[in-house]
């Protein structure tokens, strides 16, 4: 919610980048933003593009077409996705750790979910005035709440033990 409200308050194209360590929920956050943007698109008519750097594929959702484009060899590009040149398009870019795809900001709104080590994402954020958000490691209390919401498969003691061993990465714990 904070990502969305801060983007809207900025008043420009609302572009943003969310950095964080592996396993902290960046891809999950990107998918949540995707669902939110798709709901908005039903009313506003804007186009939503979701690019998955692991699968080298893009999903385009617009009034004119809903399509899966794969493989995309070197990141989202105008040749494969002309909608990126339209201001009313939102690009959600899920960049995996070690992503080699060069990223270019387009006239559309760019939302990047990335490891802090990935390619040229810092340079793109600096050059395009993207808002920055950090997805930090989780606390043991947050991990316990997450587990409680998913059926209490592990005891609080097991969560604490895993936290001590793996740290605050929900994927590892």
């Amino acid at each position: 919610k904070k990502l969305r409200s801060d983007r809207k308050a900025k008043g420009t194209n609302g572009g943003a980048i969310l950095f964080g360590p592996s396993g902290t929920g960046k891809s999950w956050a990107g998918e949540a933003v995707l669902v939110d943007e798709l709901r908005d698109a039903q009313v506003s008519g804007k186009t939503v593009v979701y690019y998955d750097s692991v699968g080298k594929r893009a999903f385009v959702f617009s009034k004119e077409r809903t399509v899966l484009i794969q493989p995309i060899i070197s990141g989202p590009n105008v040749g494969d996705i002309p909608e990126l040149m339209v201001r009313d398009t939102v690009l959600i870019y899920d960049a995996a750790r070690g992503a080699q795809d060069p990223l270019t900001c387009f006239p559309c709104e760019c939302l990047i979910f990335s490891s802090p080590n990935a390619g040229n994402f810092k340079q793109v954020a600096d050059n395009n005035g993207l808002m920055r958000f950090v997805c930090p490691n989780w606390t043991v209390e947050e991990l316990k709440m997450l587990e409680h919401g998913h059926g209490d498969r592990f005891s609080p003691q097991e969560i604490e033990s895993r936290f001590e061993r793996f740290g605050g990465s929900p994927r590892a714990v």
Side-chain angles (χ1 to χ4, degrees):
K1 289 181 180 179
K2 178 151 178 55
L3 175 70
R4 181 181 191 101
S5 65
D6 285 0
R7 283 176 31 231
K8 300 304 177 195
K10 184 178 178 186
T12 62
N13 78 346
I17 186 164
L18 177 72
F19 284 101
S22 293
T24 55
K26 297 176 304 296
S27 291
W28 177 83
E31 291 169 8
V33 169
L34 171 64
V35 169
D36 202 33
E37 292 293 341
L38 288 172
R39 280 191 202 119
D40 281 358
Q42 289 178 333
V43 175
S44 69
K46 68 183 171 185
T47 297
V48 178
V49 176
Y50 179 82
Y51 179 73
D52 167 19
S53 70
V54 174
K56 300 282 189 189
R57 59 190 178 174
F59 299 86
V60 179
F61 305 91
S62 73
K63 285 183 176 179
E64 292 75 30
R65 66 182 188 150
T66 299
V67 64
L68 166 63
I69 303 169
Q70 71 178 31
I72 296 180
I73 304 306
S74 64
N77 63 77
V78 177
D80 290 325
I81 313 165
E83 291 90 346
L84 296 174
M85 295 304 289
V86 178
R87 283 201 153 304
D88 287 340
T89 295
V90 176
L91 168 62
I92 300 168
Y93 189 110
D94 186 3
R97 183 179 181 162
Q100 298 300 312
D101 298 337
L103 180 71
T104 304
C105 267
F106 301 95
C108 68
E109 180 177 0
C110 297
L111 306 174
I112 305 166
F113 297 83
S114 169
S115 160
N117 302 326
N120 67 334
F121 294 101
K122 183 180 182 318
Q123 177 185 4
V124 168
D126 289 344
N127 292 344
N128 294 283
L130 299 180
M131 297 180 74
R132 292 186 184 164
F133 296 87
V134 176
C135 190
N137 284 319
W138 294 34
T139 66
V140 71
E141 291 79 19
E142 290 169 327
L143 291 168
K144 286 178 182 177
M145 285 189 299
L146 176 68
E147 175 56 21
H148 179 68
H150 285 86
D152 292 320
R153 296 170 294 178
F154 302 106
S155 70
Q157 295 79 15
E158 177 67 18
I159 301 260
E160 289 173 14
S161 172
R162 289 175 179 225
F163 181 81
E164 289 297 319
R165 184 170 179 201
F166 301 112
S169 168
R171 185 184 323 158
V173 172

